Amino acid sequence: MGPMRFPESIQVSPNLTLPINDQKLVFSLGAHLNQLNNNNPKYKIDFIPWFQTSPNGNGLVYLGGKRKPDGTVPTQQEIKENPELAYTIDNGPEVAAELSSIQAKLRATFFNSDRIKAVTENMYRAHKQFIGIIHFMRERSKYVSF
């Protein structure tokens, strides 16, 4: 199947990291299969460590074709040091304000600590609830504008 990365936990806040329970199934299956195969290197299942972002800022960021003058892709640290390397879109102040408002609503609805906690506890149930919210919003949007 090739390399696969599975996050084991998610940091909700600086003081709260939650394990992703559904991933435990994947890890226990890998351990069980390794045990059945006597850890034969030919069949061994190894998991690659998950890094959402590089701890040293060396993760590459390639958005919108933005590159450094030498043609290479900038790292997170380089963008932090030189904001001109960041990909930006200028839609004007009205569109920017509207996008900011929509992003705030999306974050409040989908990326709050309760929603993230629900995903870590039972991804399938959280997904079903998410689909229900989307369906509700779609139905509501027929009658009320945001």
Side-chain angles (χ1 to χ4, degrees), residues 44-133:
K44 190 164 196 278
I45 297 171
D46 290 320
F47 293 97
I48 299 167
W50 176 276
F51 296 101
Q52 184 69 24
T53 55
S54 173
N56 58 10
N58 287 328
L60 299 176
V61 179
Y62 184 67
L63 295 172
K66 195 78 171 189
R67 292 180 177 266
K68 297 188 296 186
D70 67 0
T72 59
V73 176
T75 65
Q76 296 166 335
Q77 187 62 37
E78 289 170 331
I79 291 172
K80 192 182 218 180
E81 293 167 1
N82 181 3
E84 289 188 16
L85 292 173
Y87 175 66
T88 58
I89 300 174
D90 184 13
N91 291 316
E94 288 179 11
V95 173
E98 186 176 351
L99 286 174
S100 181
S101 171
I102 291 169
Q103 286 175 335
K105 288 177 186 175
L106 288 171
R107 268 191 225 98
T109 304
F110 299 115
F111 299 106
N112 59 54
S113 59
D114 291 336
R115 180 97 41 225
I116 291 170
K117 184 177 179 192
V119 168
T120 65
E121 290 173 350
N122 188 323
M123 198 174 301
Y124 299 104
R125 184 183 311 130
H127 181 262
K128 186 176 180 181
Q129 290 170 345
F130 173 80
I131 295 300
I133 291 170

